[in-house]
Amino acid sequence: RGVHELSRLAGRPGAQMATMALASSGAAVAAASAIRAGAPLASAARRLGSPSALRASTACGALADARWRSTIARGGPGDAVAILLPGVLLTNALFGRGPCLQAALRASAVDAELGERAIQHCSDLPAVAEHIVDGLRHRHGSAARAVLVGHSYGGYAALEVAQRWPDKVAGLVLISTQCRADTPGATARRRAQVDELRSKGLDAVFEAMLPNLLSGASNADTSIIDLLWSMARAVGPEAFARQILACATRADHRQTLERLPPHIPVLVVTGKEDKVTPPRCNREMRELLERREDEMSFPAQACADSAPARGHRGEWEGAQLAPWQTKLCEGAGHLVPLEQPAAFEACIAAWSAKVQEHRESVAAAAAEPVSGARDGRWNPSRGLLLHAAQDLSAVFSRSSRRAACDIARMSQRSAGLLVLAAAPRRARAAWGAQYSTLVG
């Protein structure tokens, strides 16, 4: 599509400008790939200087297609590991039977230890997130990805991982949680709770917490009450104090949720009778996810915004948004998996089925050649080309080889020109003068 548009602008079929743009774009992708694979700088520079337009454009198509396939392979739970992240004073007993949860999530495994250990032993949420990602690599391999199932405090941890290491996240299940930081008043109440814990002991503090954790019906269920006491005593007062203080200093993750990469599917579940994170928290997260979907639906406007926080959206162009859903659970308070286990598992199973259907649909679409953009679809290779050229330019800008640096800049410009030329007409209009300058 880009070659066709450039040829039209040049006023003659098969314009040399179009061919050169395609060739050096392909060479830029090939050279960036070589550098990432550890090839010497001189070898990568030779690839940039390749005189064969055909060879370079073939490399462009093949590498962009491969990278796009790897991107859509991250589209959902599938072969990912489910990591359970219980909330404050809770253990993985909150989530019930592991095999049922694994089946509902369609995960390759459920890691019942990694998340619980991080939640109980780390002193703040950044440390929790780092422990989870390091553990995921060591226990499941460097390529492993996780479906993070986070309850309350565990949901804060899941969002921290998604903000710092989005490529390691195959899905988010956020239960009875929120994405805002604590207000000054909430922080003061948490610190007072820690003081009370140290002066009166765990039992007195937990006794006061219990009525707010459960729905009216669950408060009368002695089996649930007994299990909660068992979990609280297993966690202990020292871990409880760490968790409370970590909650008080957590980051605000509204932007994390709104700018979440499109490959990450999201499920948000809240009890209708939740007094700790009430349904309004669920509604706010729904609004953020709706804004995310709106922006993904209009990539031209998102890319035209040059603010640094939006700079990463260019490489997402062409990506289909993974399924997301918010759910209010009847008859549940703050502990949905414990109070309504059947409804909770059914909700996860339905969401996972949608995610799997989405993955299969995107994989089928990606199996078509990258060059086959004649049907008018948004071609995913555009963002990939520009991303590779930018990476390459950054590498060469640190080099003392002036010629290599010049070639990298030329390739970057050609890739950018090709990207713009391939864009739908509304996107070119949004870029306006910038597009005209590049074409000139």
Side-chain angles (χ1 to χ4, degrees):
R1 184 184 294 176
V3 169
H4 174 79
E5 175 65 15
L6 286 173
S7 297
R8 186 188 67 77
L9 289 169
R12 57 188 185 277
Q16 188 178 10
M17 176 176 68
T19 307
M20 288 174 61
L22 179 62
S24 52
S25 297
V29 174
S33 176
I35 288 171
R36 285 186 169 182
L41 191 63
S43 171
R46 281 197 297 274
R47 292 192 186 209
L48 275 173
S50 171
S52 170
L54 177 62
R55 191 190 327 163
S57 58
T58 301
C60 163
L63 286 165
D65 183 59
R67 184 162 176 178
W68 178 242
R69 287 171 188 266
S70 72
T71 299
I72 62 98
R74 301 195 306 259
D79 58 351
V81 179
I83 296 181
L84 308 182
L85 302 165
V88 167
L89 270 183
L90 300 170
T91 69
N92 283 336
L94 168 75
F95 299 104
R97 297 163 295 172
C100 290
L101 189 60
Q102 180 178 346
L105 281 167
R106 304 189 180 200
S108 62
V110 173
D111 194 321
E113 299 175 1
L114 175 58
E116 185 179 83
R117 189 183 305 124
I119 289 291
Q120 292 183 15
H121 296 290
C122 296
S123 59
D124 57 34
L125 283 160
V128 171
E130 188 170 349
H131 184 101
I132 290 166
V133 172
D134 287 346
L136 181 66
R137 292 188 183 117
H138 293 146
R139 294 161 69 94
H140 303 285
S142 59
R145 297 170 301 114
V147 182
L148 301 171
V149 184
H151 171 268
S152 192
Y153 175 61
Y156 307 152
L159 286 169
E160 190 76 21
V161 175
Q163 192 260 331
R164 291 166 176 259
W165 291 280
D167 285 348
K168 304 303 290 181
V169 180
L172 289 174
V173 179
L174 305 172
I175 311 155
S176 307
T177 193
Q178 61 176 320
C179 53
R180 285 179 179 261
D182 262 1
T183 63
T187 299
R189 287 191 293 274
R190 291 193 194 277
R191 297 191 186 283
Q193 190 175 41
V194 172
D195 292 339
E196 187 179 4
L197 173 68
R198 287 168 179 161
S199 62
K200 296 182 179 179
L202 176 63
D203 285 9
V205 173
F206 190 58
E207 185 75 48
M209 290 172 59
L210 266 175
N212 289 327
L213 294 178
L214 301 169
S215 66
S218 299
N219 264 310
D221 189 326
T222 55
S223 64
I224 291 179
I225 300 293
D226 290 345
L227 180 57
L228 288 175
W229 275 107
S230 173
M231 287 191 283
R233 286 167 178 156
V235 173
E238 293 304 318
F240 179 38
R242 284 195 295 271
Q243 291 171 341
I244 290 297
L245 293 174
C247 284
T249 59
R250 72 181 185 273
D252 190 304
H253 280 297
R254 281 174 288 180
Q255 287 192 355
T256 300
L257 198 59
E258 185 181 355
R259 297 172 180 175
L260 204 64
H263 74 267
I264 301 178
V266 184
L267 174 64
V268 182
V269 183
T270 305
K272 272 196 170 180
E273 299 179 45
D274 193 334
K275 304 178 189 72
V276 181
T277 52
R280 69 171 179 271
C281 299
N282 184 289
R283 288 193 293 272
E284 179 178 46
M285 288 190 281
R286 180 179 185 85
E287 289 169 2
L288 291 167
L289 290 167
E290 285 173 345
R291 287 208 288 271
R292 170 185 178 233
E293 182 170 4
D294 288 344
E295 285 206 29
M296 294 298 171
S297 300
F298 297 98
Q301 283 83 341
C303 290
D305 186 346
S306 60
R310 299 286 177 91
H312 58 287
R313 289 202 184 270
E315 66 182 286
W316 296 348
E317 291 174 15
Q320 294 184 31
L321 186 65
W324 65 271
Q325 182 179 348
T326 62
K327 175 78 173 176
L328 288 176
C329 191
E330 297 278 356
H334 191 57
L335 306 175
V336 176
L338 197 58
E339 298 178 75
Q340 296 294 335
F344 175 66
E345 286 184 8
C347 181
I348 286 186
W351 170 76
S352 294
K354 287 183 180 178
V355 172
Q356 184 62 28
E357 183 181 347
H358 164 79
R359 292 185 74 195
E360 291 170 356
S361 170
V362 174
E368 299 178 14
V370 173
S371 58
R374 295 178 184 175
D375 57 1
R377 288 174 304 159
W378 189 262
N379 189 339
S381 65
R382 295 184 300 102
L384 304 179
L385 280 171
L386 189 56
H387 182 81
Q390 287 171 336
D391 280 355
L392 189 64
S393 232
V395 171
F396 282 139
S397 67
R398 297 193 296 268
S399 167
S400 60
R401 298 169 186 253
R402 184 178 180 85
C405 192
D406 288 342
I407 294 169
R409 289 196 188 100
M410 287 170 61
S411 296
Q412 185 180 15
R413 290 191 190 104
S414 294
L417 179 57
L418 192 65
V419 165
L420 288 168
R425 210 169 284 276
R426 69 174 186 274
R428 296 203 301 274
W431 278 310
Q434 181 186 4
Y435 176 65
S436 300
T437 302
L438 279 170
V439 169

